[in-house]
Every structure is written in structure tokens, then in C-alpha cells.
């Protein structure tokens, strides 16, 4: 068994929107139901930025170590853990743990549990070298997996895979991905393709357009250039996409998806801009008979399935590795919409 240090490096903040300090902090001790993971890499999700800023009507713990796309190696475990061994690869997901007794947990909807414990939000997350996770919810990652490449699957991949399942589209149908060039969007394009769907990608700038096309989108709509987005999308899809996966952080783009979606279409809400409201004209919603549905990460089975697509080489996040200490800079780029795909933090730097 490897030596577990008492202190480690992590990124921590004391107040929402306050300074993010990269410094030495104590290594957490796993509870009886938890594993201790030596996090090697962690993706940076836009949710981590919302958490730091305090964007949502749900309090974070403070001080907080963010992060919920952590991939690493199990180095210790509590007495009641029987599903992980020391040396196994494990992943830290948004849902760190849940009560497992309520009506939602009973039907496999653990993210909807009122007592859900959230990594990088109510439970210190993966922006540190050692992090704890409830062994029931921690993701199983096959030995030999590239831990930097798999990290974005643990939130972005699982979330968009689940959103596509929620849309219940048929092969050959059109799906629009709004926010297609970001962390969730770049994976949504690939899962959609692997499920036999035709993809229309929406984002801003030429570089994102090239990336989206490269990943399999048939059409790219640049929201910074296109004057009539609704018409352009409906023209390109012969009447509007059958489904829309909203992963942008734009309230206007979310409401607009109700306008361009095809009759009988599904609008899936995933992105969580601060204070946003999705506006859909009642007349149009009735006459087109569209569905608007929220989709929130995924459960253990969704996680296993999403990881299986990755292991089989069907999806791969375009990612760039930087040191953990560079988290504030990554947040700046993310705020400006300048990130293509994902940034993944190397916890040794
Ligand atoms: P990201 O910053 O990597 O990507 C967002 C993308 O949206 C960017 O490429 C940006 O250019 C694009 N965009 C901005 N305005 C747009 C517009 N008007 N039209 C189209 N695209 C536009 O963020 P991410 O990490 O992919 O996360 C996206 C959102 O999803 C965040 O709000 C995050 O909190 C949320 N999220 C939700 C869940 C869930 O379970 N529902 C899970 C993970 C993340
Ligand atoms: Zn996330």
C-alpha cells in the first residue's frame, strides 16, 4: 500500500467569488462507506464556475474545494467498502452520495434525492490530490484507461448521454446541440452520432465550427454571425430538429430552442445559466405539441453506459491538460467562452 501523506495541494476558496488559493490542505480521511482516491486528473466543468460564483439557489459548502470530474486511483477505503480494492481506478462524479432510501433513490434517480451530496459543491471535490467518494456512487474505471482522457466523461459525458436518452429520438432524426463547442457539447455531438442521430451544432466562432464539424456535426450555425437563427436551423433540418440538447449558458438560446424545434419535438434543458427562465409561447407549445424536459447528470447505470462508449473508442473529449494551480485562469477563459472542449487539470502541478 502506498504512503498516504497528511497534507496535499488543492485549490480552495473561502467565499463565493473570492480568491481561489492553490495551497497545502489536509488530506481527507475516508468514512466507513467511502474510498480515498488519489486524483490524477480532473476536468473543469462550467458547473465548477457556477459553484465558485454562487450562481444558483443552492448553497455551496465553504470553504470549498471544487471539481467533480476526477479520475484516479483508490489508495484507502472505509471498513464497509467491498466494491473497490486498493489500486483500482475510480472516478469522482457530481453525485458523490445519496440517502439510498427515498422514493427517488429507490427508482435509480439518485441525483434527484433531496439529500444528494454533491462533489465540488456540498462535498470537497476533485481539485485536490486526494478526495473522498461514497463507494456506492464512485465510478468504476477499467485498469489501463487514460485517466486524463476519461475525466471529462465523468460529468460532461454522463450528462449529455443521459440527456440524449431523455430525448428518446430515433436513428436518422435531427438533434440540435446548442453550446456544441464546449465541454458538454463536444461530447454530445459524438454520443448523438454514435446513437445514429444527425447533428446540427450551434456555437460561436469559426474555430468551434471546425471542431464541431470534425467531431461529426453535419451543420454548424454560428450564433455570433447568423441573423435569423430560427430560420437557418429550420431550413437546414427541413422543418426543425426533432430534439434539442441545450448545453449553452445562455438564457436567450434556451428559450429560442422552443421556437426552432420541430412539431412533436423534445427540448432538453441541461445548461444552468444563473437565474434563467425558459420561455415558451403557450400557443406555439400547444399547436406544435412540444415537450420541454430537464435532465440532471445520470445515475450509476447511465455512468457505466457512458463510460462504455468511451472505452469502445466512440467518444473522446477534445481536451487540453494544464496544472491544477492554473484553475483561476481556466475559469477566466471559460467565462469568456474561449474554451474548445475541456480543460483537464494535472494535480501534480
Ligand atoms: P462550456 O463553457 O464548456 O460550454 C458552453 C458553450 O456554450 C460554450 O462553447 C459557449 O461558446 C456556448 N454558448 C454561449 N452562448 C451561446 C449561444 N447563445 N448559443 C449557443 N452556444 C452558446 O460549459 P460546459 O461545461 O459544457 O457546461 C454547460 C452548462 O451545463 C453549464 O451551465 C453547466 O453548469 C451545465 N451542466 C449541467 C449539468 C446537468 O446535469 N444538467 C451537468 C453538467 C453541466
Ligand atoms: Zn459538471
Amino acid at each position: 500500500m502506498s504512503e498516504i501523506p497528511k497534507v496535499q495541494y488543492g485549490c480552495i476558496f473561502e467565499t463565493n467569488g473570492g480568491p481561489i488559493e492553490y495551497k497545502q490542505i489536509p488530506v481527507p480521511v475516508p468514512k466507513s462507506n467511502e474510498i480515498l482516491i488519489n486524483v490524477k486528473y480532473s476536468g473543469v466543468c462550467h458547473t465548477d464556475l457556477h459553484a465558485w460564483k454562487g450562481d444558483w439557489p443552492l448553497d455551496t459548502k465553504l470553504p470549498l474545494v471544487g471539481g467533480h470530474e476526477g479520475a484516479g486511483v483508490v489508495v484507502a477505503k472505509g471498513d464497509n467498502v467491498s466494491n473497490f480494492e486498493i489500486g483500482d481506478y475510480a472516478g469522482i462524479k457530481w453525485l458523490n452520495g445519496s440517502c439510498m432510501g427515498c422514493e427517488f433513490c429507490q427508482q435509480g434517480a439518485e441525483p434527484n434525492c433531496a439529500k444528494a451530496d454533491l462533489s465540488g459543491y456540498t462535498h470537497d471535490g476533485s481539485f485536490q490530490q486526494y478526495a473522498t467518494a461514497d463507494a456506492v456512487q464512485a465510478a468504476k474505471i477499467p485498469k489501463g484507461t487514460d485517466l486524463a482522457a476519461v475525466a471529462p466523461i465523468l460529468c460532461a459525458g454522463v450528462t449529455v448521454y443521459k440527456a440524449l436518452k431523455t430525448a428518446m429520438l430515433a436513428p436518422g432524426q435531427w438533434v440540435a446541440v446548442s453550446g456544441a463547442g464546449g465541454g458538454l457539447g463536444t461530447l454530445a455531438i459524438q454520443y448523438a452520432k454514435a446513437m445514429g442521430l444527425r447533428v446540427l451544432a450551434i456555437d460561436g466562432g469559426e474555430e468551434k465550427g471546425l471542431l464541431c464539424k470534425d467531431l461529426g456535426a453535419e451543420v454548424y450555425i454560428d450564433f455570433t454571425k447568423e441573423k435569423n437563427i430560427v430560420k437557418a436551423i429550420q431550413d437546414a433540418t427541413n422543418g426543425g430538429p426533432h430534439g434539442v440538447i441545450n448545453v449553452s449558458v445562455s438564457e436567450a438560446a434556451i428559450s429560442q430552442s422552443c421556437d426552432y424545434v420541430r412539431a412533436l419535438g423534445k427540448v432538453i434543458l441541461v445548461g444552468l445559466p444563473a437565474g434563467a427562465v425558459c420561455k415558451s409561447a403557450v400557443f406555439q407549445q400547444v399547436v406544435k405539441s412540444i415537450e420541454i424536459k430537464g435532465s440532471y447528470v445520470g445515475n450509476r447505470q447511465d455512468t457505466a453506459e457512458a463510460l462504455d462508449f468511451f472505452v469502445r473508442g466512440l467518444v473522446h473529449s477534445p481536451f487540453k491538460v494544464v496544472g491544477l494551480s492554473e484553475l483561476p485562469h481556466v475559469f477566466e477563459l471559460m467565462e469568456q467562452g474561449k474554451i474548445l472542449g475541456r480543460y483537464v487539470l494535472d494535480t501534480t502541478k
Side-chain angles (χ1 to χ4, degrees), residues 162-176:
K162 171 69 173 204
L164 284 159
K165 279 194 1 182
T166 300
M168 291 204 294
L169 301 171
Q173 292 189 325
W174 279 102
V175 65

mmCIF file with all atom_site columns, all heavy atoms in Angstrom, residues 162-176:
data_model
loop_
_atom_site.group_PDB
_atom_site.id
_atom_site.type_symbol
_atom_site.label_atom_id
_atom_site.label_alt_id
_atom_site.label_comp_id
_atom_site.label_asym_id
_atom_site.label_entity_id
_atom_site.label_seq_id
_atom_site.pdbx_PDB_ins_code
_atom_site.Cartn_x
_atom_site.Cartn_y
_atom_site.Cartn_z
_atom_site.occupancy
_atom_site.B_iso_or_equiv
_atom_site.pdbx_formal_charge
_atom_site.auth_seq_id
_atom_site.auth_comp_id
_atom_site.auth_asym_id
_atom_site.auth_atom_id
_atom_site.pdbx_PDB_model_num
ATOM 1   N N   . LYS A 1 162 ? -27.117 10.960 -20.931 1.00 0.00 ? 162 LYS A N   1
ATOM 2   C CA  . LYS A 1 162 ? -28.426 10.873 -20.275 1.00 0.00 ? 162 LYS A CA  1
ATOM 3   C C   . LYS A 1 162 ? -29.436 11.814 -20.941 1.00 0.00 ? 162 LYS A C   1
ATOM 4   O O   . LYS A 1 162 ? -30.597 11.454 -21.150 1.00 0.00 ? 162 LYS A O   1
ATOM 5   C CB  . LYS A 1 162 ? -28.270 11.235 -18.793 1.00 0.00 ? 162 LYS A CB  1
ATOM 6   C CG  . LYS A 1 162 ? -29.553 11.389 -18.029 1.00 0.00 ? 162 LYS A CG  1
ATOM 7   C CD  . LYS A 1 162 ? -30.250 10.063 -17.851 1.00 0.00 ? 162 LYS A CD  1
ATOM 8   C CE  . LYS A 1 162 ? -31.452 10.205 -16.929 1.00 0.00 ? 162 LYS A CE  1
ATOM 9   N NZ  . LYS A 1 162 ? -31.787 8.933  -16.313 1.00 0.00 ? 162 LYS A NZ  1
ATOM 10  N N   . ALA A 1 163 ? -28.999 13.027 -21.302 1.00 0.00 ? 163 ALA A N   1
ATOM 11  C CA  . ALA A 1 163 ? -29.896 13.993 -21.949 1.00 0.00 ? 163 ALA A CA  1
ATOM 12  C C   . ALA A 1 163 ? -30.398 13.438 -23.285 1.00 0.00 ? 163 ALA A C   1
ATOM 13  O O   . ALA A 1 163 ? -31.574 13.578 -23.632 1.00 0.00 ? 163 ALA A O   1
ATOM 14  C CB  . ALA A 1 163 ? -29.184 15.331 -22.149 1.00 0.00 ? 163 ALA A CB  1
ATOM 15  N N   . LEU A 1 164 ? -29.511 12.783 -24.020 1.00 0.00 ? 164 LEU A N   1
ATOM 16  C CA  . LEU A 1 164 ? -29.912 12.189 -25.305 1.00 0.00 ? 164 LEU A CA  1
ATOM 17  C C   . LEU A 1 164 ? -30.885 11.032 -25.086 1.00 0.00 ? 164 LEU A C   1
ATOM 18  O O   . LEU A 1 164 ? -31.840 10.857 -25.833 1.00 0.00 ? 164 LEU A O   1
ATOM 19  C CB  . LEU A 1 164 ? -28.671 11.717 -26.077 1.00 0.00 ? 164 LEU A CB  1
ATOM 20  C CG  . LEU A 1 164 ? -27.877 12.857 -26.724 1.00 0.00 ? 164 LEU A CG  1
ATOM 21  C CD1 . LEU A 1 164 ? -26.444 12.424 -27.025 1.00 0.00 ? 164 LEU A CD1 1
ATOM 22  C CD2 . LEU A 1 164 ? -28.574 13.331 -28.005 1.00 0.00 ? 164 LEU A CD2 1
ATOM 23  N N   . LYS A 1 165 ? -30.652 10.238 -24.037 1.00 0.00 ? 165 LYS A N   1
ATOM 24  C CA  . LYS A 1 165 ? -31.604 9.154  -23.724 1.00 0.00 ? 165 LYS A CA  1
ATOM 25  C C   . LYS A 1 165 ? -32.967 9.755  -23.360 1.00 0.00 ? 165 LYS A C   1
ATOM 26  O O   . LYS A 1 165 ? -34.015 9.242  -23.753 1.00 0.00 ? 165 LYS A O   1
ATOM 27  C CB  . LYS A 1 165 ? -31.087 8.301  -22.556 1.00 0.00 ? 165 LYS A CB  1
ATOM 28  C CG  . LYS A 1 165 ? -30.067 7.283  -22.999 1.00 0.00 ? 165 LYS A CG  1
ATOM 29  C CD  . LYS A 1 165 ? -29.681 6.162  -22.064 1.00 0.00 ? 165 LYS A CD  1
ATOM 30  C CE  . LYS A 1 165 ? -30.225 5.953  -20.738 1.00 0.00 ? 165 LYS A CE  1
ATOM 31  N NZ  . LYS A 1 165 ? -29.624 4.791  -20.035 1.00 0.00 ? 165 LYS A NZ  1
ATOM 32  N N   . THR A 1 166 ? -32.938 10.852 -22.595 1.00 0.00 ? 166 THR A N   1
ATOM 33  C CA  . THR A 1 166 ? -34.178 11.512 -22.173 1.00 0.00 ? 166 THR A CA  1
ATOM 34  C C   . THR A 1 166 ? -34.961 12.030 -23.385 1.00 0.00 ? 166 THR A C   1
ATOM 35  O O   . THR A 1 166 ? -36.192 12.023 -23.387 1.00 0.00 ? 166 THR A O   1
ATOM 36  C CB  . THR A 1 166 ? -33.838 12.671 -21.204 1.00 0.00 ? 166 THR A CB  1
ATOM 37  O OG1 . THR A 1 166 ? -33.154 12.124 -20.078 1.00 0.00 ? 166 THR A OG1 1
ATOM 38  C CG2 . THR A 1 166 ? -35.077 13.410 -20.727 1.00 0.00 ? 166 THR A CG2 1
ATOM 39  N N   . ALA A 1 167 ? -34.248 12.456 -24.439 1.00 0.00 ? 167 ALA A N   1
ATOM 40  C CA  . ALA A 1 167 ? -34.912 12.987 -25.636 1.00 0.00 ? 167 ALA A CA  1
ATOM 41  C C   . ALA A 1 167 ? -35.617 11.880 -26.426 1.00 0.00 ? 167 ALA A C   1
ATOM 42  O O   . ALA A 1 167 ? -36.520 12.163 -27.220 1.00 0.00 ? 167 ALA A O   1
ATOM 43  C CB  . ALA A 1 167 ? -33.903 13.713 -26.509 1.00 0.00 ? 167 ALA A CB  1
ATOM 44  N N   . MET A 1 168 ? -35.224 10.646 -26.242 1.00 0.00 ? 168 MET A N   1
ATOM 45  C CA  . MET A 1 168 ? -35.831 9.495  -26.916 1.00 0.00 ? 168 MET A CA  1
ATOM 46  C C   . MET A 1 168 ? -36.041 9.732  -28.419 1.00 0.00 ? 168 MET A C   1
ATOM 47  O O   . MET A 1 168 ? -37.155 9.649  -28.924 1.00 0.00 ? 168 MET A O   1
ATOM 48  C CB  . MET A 1 168 ? -37.155 9.124  -26.236 1.00 0.00 ? 168 MET A CB  1
ATOM 49  C CG  . MET A 1 168 ? -36.932 8.557  -24.850 1.00 0.00 ? 168 MET A CG  1
ATOM 50  S SD  . MET A 1 168 ? -38.254 7.509  -24.287 1.00 0.00 ? 168 MET A SD  1
ATOM 51  C CE  . MET A 1 168 ? -39.574 8.639  -24.133 1.00 0.00 ? 168 MET A CE  1
ATOM 52  N N   . LEU A 1 169 ? -34.946 10.025 -29.106 1.00 0.00 ? 169 LEU A N   1
ATOM 53  C CA  . LEU A 1 169 ? -35.002 10.250 -30.546 1.00 0.00 ? 169 LEU A CA  1
ATOM 54  C C   . LEU A 1 169 ? -34.700 8.949  -31.272 1.00 0.00 ? 169 LEU A C   1
ATOM 55  O O   . LEU A 1 169 ? -34.105 8.031  -30.698 1.00 0.00 ? 169 LEU A O   1
ATOM 56  C CB  . LEU A 1 169 ? -33.996 11.337 -30.936 1.00 0.00 ? 169 LEU A CB  1
ATOM 57  C CG  . LEU A 1 169 ? -34.209 12.695 -30.238 1.00 0.00 ? 169 LEU A CG  1
ATOM 58  C CD1 . LEU A 1 169 ? -33.050 13.631 -30.512 1.00 0.00 ? 169 LEU A CD1 1
ATOM 59  C CD2 . LEU A 1 169 ? -35.539 13.318 -30.665 1.00 0.00 ? 169 LEU A CD2 1
ATOM 60  N N   . ALA A 1 170 ? -35.104 8.895  -32.532 1.00 0.00 ? 170 ALA A N   1
ATOM 61  C CA  . ALA A 1 170 ? -34.866 7.677  -33.323 1.00 0.00 ? 170 ALA A CA  1
ATOM 62  C C   . ALA A 1 170 ? -33.697 7.899  -34.272 1.00 0.00 ? 170 ALA A C   1
ATOM 63  O O   . ALA A 1 170 ? -33.463 9.031  -34.719 1.00 0.00 ? 170 ALA A O   1
ATOM 64  C CB  . ALA A 1 170 ? -36.124 7.341  -34.106 1.00 0.00 ? 170 ALA A CB  1
ATOM 65  N N   . PRO A 1 171 ? -32.953 6.845  -34.599 1.00 0.00 ? 171 PRO A N   1
ATOM 66  C CA  . PRO A 1 171 ? -31.849 6.983  -35.557 1.00 0.00 ? 171 PRO A CA  1
ATOM 67  C C   . PRO A 1 171 ? -32.331 7.662  -36.839 1.00 0.00 ? 171 PRO A C   1
ATOM 68  O O   . PRO A 1 171 ? -33.451 7.402  -37.287 1.00 0.00 ? 171 PRO A O   1
ATOM 69  C CB  . PRO A 1 171 ? -31.428 5.532  -35.829 1.00 0.00 ? 171 PRO A CB  1
ATOM 70  C CG  . PRO A 1 171 ? -31.831 4.790  -34.603 1.00 0.00 ? 171 PRO A CG  1
ATOM 71  C CD  . PRO A 1 171 ? -33.087 5.464  -34.111 1.00 0.00 ? 171 PRO A CD  1
ATOM 72  N N   . GLY A 1 172 ? -31.503 8.553  -37.357 1.00 0.00 ? 172 GLY A N   1
ATOM 73  C CA  . GLY A 1 172 ? -31.870 9.267  -38.579 1.00 0.00 ? 172 GLY A CA  1
ATOM 74  C C   . GLY A 1 172 ? -32.534 10.604 -38.304 1.00 0.00 ? 172 GLY A C   1
ATOM 75  O O   . GLY A 1 172 ? -32.640 11.434 -39.203 1.00 0.00 ? 172 GLY A O   1
ATOM 76  N N   . GLN A 1 173 ? -32.986 10.837 -37.077 1.00 0.00 ? 173 GLN A N   1
ATOM 77  C CA  . GLN A 1 173 ? -33.610 12.124 -36.746 1.00 0.00 ? 173 GLN A CA  1
ATOM 78  C C   . GLN A 1 173 ? -32.538 13.177 -36.457 1.00 0.00 ? 173 GLN A C   1
ATOM 79  O O   . GLN A 1 173 ? -31.394 12.843 -36.138 1.00 0.00 ? 173 GLN A O   1
ATOM 80  C CB  . GLN A 1 173 ? -34.550 11.975 -35.538 1.00 0.00 ? 173 GLN A CB  1
ATOM 81  C CG  . GLN A 1 173 ? -35.786 11.132 -35.862 1.00 0.00 ? 173 GLN A CG  1
ATOM 82  C CD  . GLN A 1 173 ? -36.819 11.150 -34.744 1.00 0.00 ? 173 GLN A CD  1
ATOM 83  O OE1 . GLN A 1 173 ? -36.483 11.196 -33.573 1.00 0.00 ? 173 GLN A OE1 1
ATOM 84  N NE2 . GLN A 1 173 ? -38.086 11.100 -35.124 1.00 0.00 ? 173 GLN A NE2 1
ATOM 85  N N   . TRP A 1 174 ? -32.953 14.448 -36.539 1.00 0.00 ? 174 TRP A N   1
ATOM 86  C CA  . TRP A 1 174 ? -32.048 15.556 -36.275 1.00 0.00 ? 174 TRP A CA  1
ATOM 87  C C   . TRP A 1 174 ? -32.043 15.943 -34.805 1.00 0.00 ? 174 TRP A C   1
ATOM 88  O O   . TRP A 1 174 ? -33.102 16.067 -34.199 1.00 0.00 ? 174 TRP A O   1
ATOM 89  C CB  . TRP A 1 174 ? -32.498 16.803 -37.056 1.00 0.00 ? 174 TRP A CB  1
ATOM 90  C CG  . TRP A 1 174 ? -32.088 16.837 -38.488 1.00 0.00 ? 174 TRP A CG  1
ATOM 91  C CD1 . TRP A 1 174 ? -32.882 16.565 -39.570 1.00 0.00 ? 174 TRP A CD1 1
ATOM 92  C CD2 . TRP A 1 174 ? -30.806 17.196 -39.009 1.00 0.00 ? 174 TRP A CD2 1
ATOM 93  N NE1 . TRP A 1 174 ? -32.170 16.727 -40.730 1.00 0.00 ? 174 TRP A NE1 1
ATOM 94  C CE2 . TRP A 1 174 ? -30.890 17.118 -40.417 1.00 0.00 ? 174 TRP A CE2 1
ATOM 95  C CE3 . TRP A 1 174 ? -29.586 17.577 -38.422 1.00 0.00 ? 174 TRP A CE3 1
ATOM 96  C CZ2 . TRP A 1 174 ? -29.805 17.402 -41.244 1.00 0.00 ? 174 TRP A CZ2 1
ATOM 97  C CZ3 . TRP A 1 174 ? -28.510 17.854 -39.252 1.00 0.00 ? 174 TRP A CZ3 1
ATOM 98  C CH2 . TRP A 1 174 ? -28.626 17.770 -40.651 1.00 0.00 ? 174 TRP A CH2 1
ATOM 99  N N   . VAL A 1 175 ? -30.852 16.146 -34.255 1.00 0.00 ? 175 VAL A N   1
ATOM 100 C CA  . VAL A 1 175 ? -30.747 16.739 -32.921 1.00 0.00 ? 175 VAL A CA  1
ATOM 101 C C   . VAL A 1 175 ? -29.869 17.985 -33.030 1.00 0.00 ? 175 VAL A C   1
ATOM 102 O O   . VAL A 1 175 ? -28.816 17.961 -33.687 1.00 0.00 ? 175 VAL A O   1
ATOM 103 C CB  . VAL A 1 175 ? -30.196 15.735 -31.879 1.00 0.00 ? 175 VAL A CB  1
ATOM 104 C CG1 . VAL A 1 175 ? -28.751 15.313 -32.159 1.00 0.00 ? 175 VAL A CG1 1
ATOM 105 C CG2 . VAL A 1 175 ? -30.291 16.301 -30.462 1.00 0.00 ? 175 VAL A CG2 1
ATOM 106 N N   . ALA A 1 176 ? -30.337 19.081 -32.433 1.00 0.00 ? 176 ALA A N   1
ATOM 107 C CA  . ALA A 1 176 ? -29.520 20.284 -32.368 1.00 0.00 ? 176 ALA A CA  1
ATOM 108 C C   . ALA A 1 176 ? -28.814 20.293 -31.025 1.00 0.00 ? 176 ALA A C   1
ATOM 109 O O   . ALA A 1 176 ? -29.419 19.975 -29.998 1.00 0.00 ? 176 ALA A O   1
ATOM 110 C CB  . ALA A 1 176 ? -30.392 21.526 -32.523 1.00 0.00 ? 176 ALA A CB  1
#
